[in-house]
Amino acid sequence: MSAHIYKILELVGSSTTGSDDAIRNAIARASATVKHMDWFEVVESRGHIVDGKVAHYQVTLKVGFRLEES
């Protein structure tokens, strides 16, 4: 088995329903064009408040994807 080499990209996902959905939205969108995504790390979480209530969630992720063997 060869060692895997990863590249890290940063994504920001958003959702009106929760931070978990913001994570899922970011990964789902990126998976349409990025192959071999294997892991993610939540770097930052923030939100937007309207009339004293949470209106929007935004999560910054670092996503690791394997570089293809040459």
Side-chain angles (χ1 to χ4, degrees):
M1 183 174 136
S2 63
H4 295 302
I5 305 299
Y6 291 90
K7 183 157 179 88
I8 297 173
L9 65 104
E10 191 169 79
L11 302 173
V12 178
S14 61
S15 171
T16 57
T17 59
S19 56
D20 285 351
D21 279 342
I23 293 167
R24 286 186 188 94
N25 291 342
I27 291 172
R29 178 73 61 86
S31 70
T33 57
V34 178
K35 297 182 200 175
H36 311 300
M37 291 191 303
D38 284 344
W39 56 267
F40 72 91
E41 171 187 1
V42 174
V43 178
E44 185 175 28
S45 181
R46 63 189 161 273
H48 180 225
I49 300 169
V50 175
D51 297 327
K53 296 179 183 174
V54 176
H56 211 93
Y57 300 84
Q58 195 174 53
V59 179
T60 303
L61 311 168
K62 286 187 179 180
V63 177
F65 63 95
R66 273 179 287 116
L67 298 178
E68 292 183 342
E69 300 284 329
S70 51

